[in-house]
Amino acid sequence: DGGITQSPKYLFRKEGQNVTLSCEQNLNHDAMYWYRQDPGQGLRLIYYSQIVNDFQKGDIAEGYSVSREKKESFPLTVTSAQKNPTAFYLCASSGQREYEQFFGPGTRLTVL
Amino acid sequence: SQKIEQNSEALNIQEGKTATLTCNYTNYSPAYLQWYRQDPGRGPVFLLLIRENEKEKRKERLKVTFDTTLKQSLFHITASQPADSATYLCAQSLGGSYIPTFGRGTSLIVHP
C-alpha cells in the first residue's frame, strides 16, 4: 500500500522537552510538508522540502526544526522554544509539479 | 496580503438536498483552487482541483465552480448523505507556487 505514515498518533511531553514527530512516505514524492492545525483554524505551514537535503521555512517555523536526509522521510522536531506546541500536526507530500497533496493521519501533541 | 476565507459556521442540511459551500479569496486570482475533505482527528483527503481558466469541474456527486469576477469558488455535493458529514477545506495556489494556502474549513452536517 502506498501512502504516508505519521507516528505516534498521540504524544505527550513535559514542557521544556524537545520532541520529534515522524513522517514517512512511500509514494516516491519529491515534496514534503509539515502543517500545524489548531481548533477552528486552517492548516498553517511550518516547513516544506521540495528535494532531499533542502528545506524552507513556512509561515510559522519559529520553534521548529526539520531534516530531509532521505526522500522518504521528513521528521519534525518541536523544540522547547516553541511557546504553544500543543496542536494537531499533519505531514503531507506531493509529486513534482503537482498541486494535490497527500496527507498522513496526523499526530496530536499535548505538552503538559 | 492574499487571504482565503470560508464560512466558519457549520452548514446543516437534510439528507438528499444539495450542500453548497463557499470559498472566497481576496486580491489576486489563484492559479488553482483545491477542495479537501477532513474527518475529525484525521488528515485531509483531496477531492477536486479547478484551474483559473476553468468555470466548473465535476466528479460523481461533487461539483466545483470558479468565478474570478466574484472571487469565489463554490463546492456542491448533490444528493447529500449523512456520510458526507465532515469539514471541507478550500486551498489556493497562486501562479508559480505549488504550495497551497488553506482556509479554515466549513463543517457540513447532513441530517438523516
Side-chain angles (χ1 to χ4, degrees), chain B residues 45-112:
Chain B
V45 175
F46 172 79
L47 297 174
L48 281 168
L49 178 149
I50 187 165
R51 294 173 170 76
E52 183 182 14
N53 61 359
E54 296 176 321
K55 291 208 180 302
E56 182 179 298
K57 189 73 81 70
R58 290 176 186 260
K59 178 182 176 183
E60 298 173 352
R61 294 185 296 113
L62 310 179
K63 184 177 83 170
V64 173
T65 62
F66 194 163
D67 189 326
T68 55
T69 302
L70 294 178
K71 296 189 176 181
Q72 183 179 84
S73 174
L74 298 179
F75 176 79
H76 307 272
I77 305 176
T78 58
S80 60
Q81 305 163 0
D84 294 327
S85 299
T87 296
Y88 291 86
L89 304 171
C90 174
Q92 65 173 347
S93 298
L94 298 178
S97 173
Y98 289 92
I99 300 167
T101 301
F102 285 85
R104 295 186 177 192
T106 299
S107 175
L108 171 66
I109 302 167
V110 181
H111 299 275

Side-chain angles (χ1 to χ4, degrees), chain A residues 77-103:
Chain A
T77 297
V78 184
T79 75
S80 56
Q82 168 49 234
K83 295 192 188 322
N84 186 17
T86 294
F88 187 50
Y89 290 88
L90 287 159
C91 180
S93 69
S94 65
Q96 197 174 50
R97 300 184 189 278
E98 292 181 5
Y99 290 87
E100 176 185 348
Q101 295 200 341
F102 292 79
F103 284 84

